[in-house]
Amino acid sequence: MRELLEQIRPYISSLLIDGREWERLLERAGESPVTMAAFPFGFEIPLHDPRPKADFGVSLVGESRTAAFFQERNHSGDADPIAAGLAWLLDETDREDSLLRRVIGRKMLLEYDVDLEPQGTRQAPGIFLYPIEDALVGDGRRFQDLGAVYDALVSVSGWSPDVVEREQLEQVYRTLTPDTCVKAIGTFPSRERLVRIAVTGFRKAHDVVAFLERAGWPGQRSVVDDTVSFFEKRDAFAYLGVHFDIRASGVGPSMGLSFFAQEQEWLKDIRHWTALIDGLREHGCALSEKLSELANWSTGSTTLFGKSGPFMLVRGIHHVKLVIAEGQVEQAKAYVFFLMMCVRPKGGTAARQTA
C-alpha cells in the first residue's frame, strides 16, 4: 500500500497530509499488502489540528487475496500475535455455519495510528467488526450475537474474557430502541483495554440525549444537545451515530458524534456535505482552511492508467465525527475514502476491482 499511495500522491492533498506525517503514514501503509486497495481505504483527518496529518484505514475482507496473505502467514507460523488473531477471524468467517459470520459477514476494518514515534515502532492496528444489516438491531434479543462479536475481539486482542466488561456492553445494548442498531464494535489492542461501540439511527437531538441518559454516559448531555441541535437546525445530516468506550468500570467520559449526509454511504458528491461543512465552520470546531481543502479535494473521481489498463480513482467523504469531552467539542475529524474501480472497455460502466 505504500507504493500505491506514492503513485496516487498527486490526488492526496498536501495541505491535509504532508511532511514527516506523510512519511510516517507511508511507513504504516507499508505494513499492508497492495491487494487491500481492491476494497475501500482511506484516512482519518483531524480538522481541528493545524498539523498536516492523518491516520490510515483499510478493509480486510474474507476470501480475498489479502485474506489469503494473512491466513497463509499464520499457517506457516510467520505471523505476530495480532496477525494470527486476524487470520483466526478470517478462518472463522470462512465457515458458512459460523455464528460470527452470520453476525458480521466477511468484512472488518483495520485502523493504523500514525504518529511520530521513532522509526521501527509498531503498534497493532485498531480492529473494528461491522454487524451486517440489522444483525444487532435494538430489539433486546440479540445477546448471543453480541457476545459472539465481543468474544472475537477479546480473542484477536489476546485478552482474557472479562465477565463484568461483557455485562457493561450488554447493558448498553439493552438501552437501544428498535429504530437504532449497533453499527460497529472494535478495540485497539495496543492501547488501554476498552471496547468501542458505535450505535446509529438517530435523527434528532432529543433521541441522542435520551440514549446517552439510558446508557449511563457520564458526560454533559446538554453539550451534546446543543451541538446536535445546532446542526439539526441547518439540516446538515440525514442521521447520526454515537460512539463511546466501554470498560469494566462502565461507559467512558468522552463520546463521538458521527454525521452522515445521506442514507447511502460512500458519497463522492460534495453537494451532500456542503451544509455540514458550512456548519462546522460556523460552529468553530474545525479549521476553516482545512474545511475548504476538504471540500475541494476529497470528492469526485479521476481516471488513471496502470499497467493493467485504465481504472477510476473515486474519492469521497464517508462521515464526519465530533469528539465531545470535558464539556466541549474537543475534536473534529473527517473520514475520507478512496475506491479503485476497473474501467470496462467499450464505454461500459466501472466495476470495483476484485481480489
Side-chain angles (χ1 to χ4, degrees), residues 81-219:
I82 297 299
L86 293 173
W88 171 82
L89 272 175
L90 291 164
D91 288 342
E92 186 68 13
T93 55
D94 277 348
R95 298 192 298 108
E96 293 186 3
D97 62 345
S98 164
L99 171 60
L100 190 61
R101 174 168 174 171
R102 179 172 63 79
V103 179
I104 67 168
R106 314 295 298 277
K107 178 184 176 182
M108 65 190 83
L109 176 73
L110 306 182
E111 181 178 307
Y112 292 86
D113 288 337
V114 177
D115 51 40
L116 296 181
E117 293 181 353
Q119 188 173 4
T121 302
R122 290 289 182 268
Q123 292 186 336
I127 302 166
F128 289 84
L129 307 180
Y130 292 83
I132 58 177
E133 298 176 355
D134 60 349
L136 286 178
V137 70
D139 59 9
R141 298 182 297 177
R142 316 294 175 99
F143 291 101
Q144 182 181 15
D145 296 348
L146 181 70
V149 180
Y150 170 79
D151 291 342
L153 286 172
V154 168
S155 178
V156 75
S157 300
W159 297 337
S160 300
D162 187 319
V163 174
V164 178
E165 181 181 65
R166 179 169 175 157
E167 288 176 348
Q168 294 284 2
L169 178 62
E170 291 177 346
Q171 178 58 36
V172 169
Y173 173 69
R174 286 189 181 92
T175 68
L176 269 63
T177 55
D179 55 345
T180 60
C181 67
V182 177
K183 183 74 170 182
I185 306 178
T187 192
F188 300 87
S190 292
R191 300 185 192 177
E192 175 189 2
R193 177 166 176 162
L194 57 85
V195 176
R196 180 164 295 176
I197 186 172
V199 178
T200 61
F202 303 100
R203 311 285 174 173
K204 301 291 183 180
H206 61 79
D207 295 329
V208 175
V209 172
F211 167 65
L212 293 175
E213 184 174 4
R214 295 193 304 270
W217 182 61

Side-chain angles (χ1 to χ4, degrees), residues 230-246:
F230 177 89
F231 292 98
E232 185 179 323
K233 291 175 182 176
R234 289 154 179 80
D235 197 23
F237 61 88
Y239 69 97
L240 299 161
V242 172
H243 315 243
F244 43 61
D245 299 333
I246 298 173

Side-chain angles (χ1 to χ4, degrees), residues 217 219-220 223 253-256 322-331:
W217 182 61
Q220 295 184 29
V223 176
S254 65
M255 66 156 288
L322 302 182
V323 177
I324 297 175
E326 301 292 335
Q328 62 182 342
V329 178
E330 286 194 340
Q331 301 176 21

